[in-house]
Structure formats: structure tokens, C-alpha cells
Amino acid sequence: MTPATSAVARALERIERLDPALHAFIEVWPKTASAREREAVARRLPLGGLPFAVKGPSGIRSYAARRLIAAGGVPVGATSVPGPGAVWQTWGQGAHGRTVNPWRADRTPGGSSAGSAVAVATGMAEAATGSDGAGSVRIPAAWCGVFGLKTTNGLLPSPDRTGLASAGVLARSAAAAEPCLRRVLDGGGAPDGTPDRPPPGLPLPAVYSEDLGFAEVYPEVAAVVRAAVDRLVAAGTVRLLDRDAGLLDPAGAWTAVRGGSPDDPETVRVRRTNDERLDALLVGGALLLTPATPNRPHGHEGPETRYSTALTWAFNLSGHPAASLPAGFTGDGCPVGLQMVAPRGADLELLAAARAVEDALPPARTPPRAGRD
């Protein structure tokens, strides 16, 4: 492959070579992608033909995809989402079979934005759209070792009538996600391409919670995230605040809202209590740091006894923007995600904070199943 080969051509070549084993895509669009890339380059659109993937069969019609295409992004294909089966099934079902984790084929990549995370992790796309109703962007981002951000609920159009799901974007890093997220959220930066917001002042005020007061977290996962947080403090990137991050377990409330009973008295009580506690926790623009999941990527047979959503779905109920970025690895080679939560509407501020955090952590690694160029 020569340096002159276009980004879209490289992405399509990697899909052809890698996807028969990874099963990240349900459809690939080589002809339309090449045509869109030529148009984006000829019109000098801001994203300049950046290849991205869309989540699932309807992803090309999503608001995020339409904004990216308008800015010169090129959709190369639709990624896998869970197929029919048990409610805990979190892998995707690609054109060639069940989607596998690029770090360990015997583990799930998480879901439901399964194929999107795998495509980004392996370079089959430079970015991907996702949607997150309980952790469906953040969990696969964590388990595939990439960056994923769930936007503030209600900020962007969503077909989910319950209000739990919101749009998201995945990329190899927060820095790589920034051009796409800026186009999706507010049309981009200044006309010359420079950011329209200054970088955040350091250290970032933050609260760390291993379990949000209720979750059971695997000790090794907790240790990896705590080590990452300690590194951030030592680097002067984060300043930890002494605030109580204890929330009420949102599992019952999330289930009630999803089931069409948002006015159930216990659901209303849990949501109101957690909203009040989060408002106090994040006052002054503070961040909340937690593990993205309580567990490692589980096998394809099921999730054992811990919900992978235990630390994510509280923020689908509350509506806060939340991101996962790579924090390190467990001893068996599985990626672990650090979750960052910001005040409602502070999506771009969260993105800037994530960039500062990833600058202080070890660079993201490439999965062994990503192959070579």
C-alpha cells in the first residue's frame, strides 16, 4: 500500500482483509464510498473524505451520519448490532457471523454498538456512529480499547421515545473523535479549522468513584482504573475532590422507563434523588470518574452474574454526557475503560477534558487482530 492511497481505499482494503474474521460489518459500500470521497475532496469539505462507519442497518439515516456526510465524511458501511437471541446477548451479528473482540476472539466486543467499536479499533474505519441507551457506546468502546462518547440526552434527535438513548461517536482516541464530534454537535470549529474553545485549565477538578455506591466491580478492573486515575493526579491533569459519589442503584428505574412506566413512584424517587446528588457532585464543572464497566469482556456464552451496564445506565436516566477512554489492560489482555461524566450540555467540555486525560495516559495500543498494512 502506497502513501498516496486514499483514506477510504485503505479502509475498504482493511475491511476486505479483516472483516471475514471479525464480522464487524453487515454491509459495505465501496462504490458509493469512493464516489463520496471524490466529491468531498473536490468540494474541499472540512472532513475531506474521512471514512466512517454507521451503526446498524438504519445508521445511514441518523442525524449524526447526515451531519458527517454534509461535512465531507464518507460512510463505508453499516456495522453489526446484536442479532436475535437472549436479552444479555451483546455481540454483533455481522455479514459473516458473530462479531468478535479484536483483542480476544473468545470474548464479546460489547454492545450494542459492537461492530462500530471493532471497526474503529482495527482501522476499518477512522470513526463510527453509535447510539447509547444503557451504555451501548461506552461499553464496546471500553472493551475494544477505543474512545466513545454518549452525548447529552435530548441534545440531538433520537428515535428513542423513552428518552434513554442518545447519539454517540467512537474513534481511536478523543483527539481522533474531535473533528467528527464537533461537526455533529455544533458544526465544527472556526473557519480555519482551529478549535473554537480554549483547552481546559489543569488540573481538572474531579471525583473518583469505584462503584457509584452500589455496583460490584471486579477487583482487577477497579485496580486498572484506579492506577490510571493516580497517574492523572501525579501528572497534574486531575485534582480529586472530596465529594460523596454514592448514587441509588438505577437498575429498577431504568427498566421501568424502558418498559413505559416512567411515572412509577419508586422510579421517580430514584431519578430525583440521583439527579440531586449528581448536581451537587458536578457543581462548578467537576467531572466524575469511574470504571466504564464493572467487569471484563465476557465470553460469548453470556455475562456471568454482573450487568456490564451497572456503571453506565445511571447517566442515560440522568441525561449527562459520558465517555469511555482506554485506561489499561487486565492480566488476560482485555482492555479496561475509564468513564468520564460531565454536567448536562457540557459535551464539548467533556471532549476537551478527555483529550487532556489521554495525553497523560499511555498511548492506545493496536489489537493483535488488527492485522498489518
Side-chain angles (χ1 to χ4, degrees), residues 22-301:
L22 294 168
H23 314 159
F25 284 86
I26 55 175
E27 296 178 11
V28 183
W29 310 313
K31 291 183 179 180
T32 57
S34 298
R36 286 184 189 274
E37 182 183 36
R38 288 192 296 270
E39 180 183 7
V41 172
R43 294 176 58 193
R44 299 184 179 181
L45 295 176
L47 293 181
L50 180 142
F52 72 95
V54 300
K55 176 185 177 180
S58 63
I60 193 66
R61 299 191 297 273
S62 69
Y63 177 83
R66 287 185 281 116
R67 289 296 295 267
L68 293 175
I69 292 170
V74 175
V76 294
T79 59
S80 65
V81 293
V87 295
W88 46 257
Q89 185 173 338
T90 55
W91 56 70
Q93 193 70 23
H96 304 286
R98 186 171 59 193
T99 310
V100 301
N101 192 303
W103 293 93
R104 287 191 52 160
D106 62 334
R107 306 292 175 90
T108 173
S112 60
S113 305
S116 288
V118 174
V120 166
T122 55
M124 292 189 285
E126 293 188 23
T129 64
S131 58
D132 189 314
S136 296
V137 164
R138 290 162 287 163
I139 293 167
W143 286 356
C144 292
V146 300
F147 174 81
L149 185 145
K150 175 197 86 69
T151 56
T152 297
N153 291 59
L155 182 65
L156 302 175
S158 170
D160 180 23
R161 295 182 179 180
T162 69
L164 293 171
S166 58
V169 170
L170 300 97
R172 285 294 303 277
S173 65
E178 183 167 13
C180 294
L181 276 165
R182 286 189 177 276
R183 293 294 158 185
V184 169
L185 290 168
D186 70 355
D192 62 357
T194 59
D196 57 4
R197 287 170 174 80
L202 301 181
L204 301 165
V207 178
Y208 174 68
S209 176
E210 175 183 307
D211 58 9
L212 293 177
F214 59 81
E216 294 182 41
V217 180
Y218 278 91
E220 190 176 10
V221 170
V224 170
V225 175
R226 182 71 222 203
V229 171
D230 289 344
R231 183 181 182 119
L232 295 173
V233 172
T237 304
V238 163
R239 172 175 58 89
L240 293 181
L241 305 175
D242 185 15
R243 296 178 184 174
D244 181 11
L247 302 182
L248 300 180
D249 188 341
W254 186 95
T255 302
V257 173
R258 177 58 76 188
S261 302
D263 298 324
D264 169 75
E266 178 62 11
T267 297
V268 171
R269 183 188 75 85
V270 169
R271 297 186 75 175
R272 181 183 297 119
T273 299
N274 281 353
D275 283 350
E276 291 173 352
R277 293 180 182 180
L278 285 167
D279 287 344
L281 195 67
L282 302 176
V283 69
L287 299 167
L288 173 60
L289 308 178
T290 78
T293 66
N295 50 351
R296 296 169 294 184
H298 55 71
H300 295 290
E301 70 282 355

